[in-house]
Amino acid sequence: MSRRARTARAFVLRSLADVGARPAVGSDAPVAPLDPWVAIAAATSRTRDGRSPWHPEQVVSVDAALAASTRGSIAVGGVADFVATDIDPLEATDQELRRMSVSLTLLGGRITHRTL
């Protein structure tokens, strides 16, 4: 089996989403940064540093990458675990996603981090 054929089976996010699965995106820490924004950028661009995308047919939307990076849902009366950012991730470029900073974090409805 060729290298291209083997690598075509790795990180098949789009293929999974297309058949109704909910893929999960995460980090390969400690060998990669423990940063969800880097994983989201990788899922939405399949590249970094201006290189050609790796298996671009597996690119997913930012919405799909965010969903693959989170659990649960937002609902009235639910536990408030979320973050706020200065840049809208849905409008961010690949490089902005990779450098995304979090301005506010709420866990269980309590502020645990704030830079505002």
Side-chain angles (χ1 to χ4, degrees):
M1 180 180 291
S2 73
R3 181 174 181 256
R4 174 104 178 132
R6 286 190 311 271
T7 64
R9 297 182 308 204
F11 306 104
V12 291
L13 302 175
R14 180 59 179 253
S15 294
L16 289 169
D18 286 349
V19 297
R22 184 171 179 212
V25 172
S27 167
D28 286 334
V31 296
L34 185 57
D35 185 340
W37 298 109
V38 171
I40 290 166
T44 59
S45 69
R46 306 282 295 200
T47 188
R48 66 176 180 176
D49 303 331
R51 295 186 238 177
S52 296
W54 181 69
H55 290 286
E57 71 277 6
Q58 295 299 333
V59 165
V60 296
S61 68
V62 175
D63 283 335
L66 286 169
S69 299
T70 59
R71 293 179 295 187
S73 60
I74 298 174
V76 174
V79 178
D81 292 346
F82 67 90
V83 300
T85 59
D86 291 334
I87 300 171
D88 181 350
L90 300 176
E91 302 294 326
T93 66
D94 176 63
Q95 290 305 311
E96 288 171 330
L97 284 171
R98 289 178 186 282
R99 293 187 312 266
M100 186 73 70
S101 62
V102 172
S103 300
L104 179 74
T105 302
L106 271 78
L107 293 173
R110 294 176 186 237
I111 296 173
T112 59
H113 168 77
R114 173 185 266 168
T115 60
L116 302 173

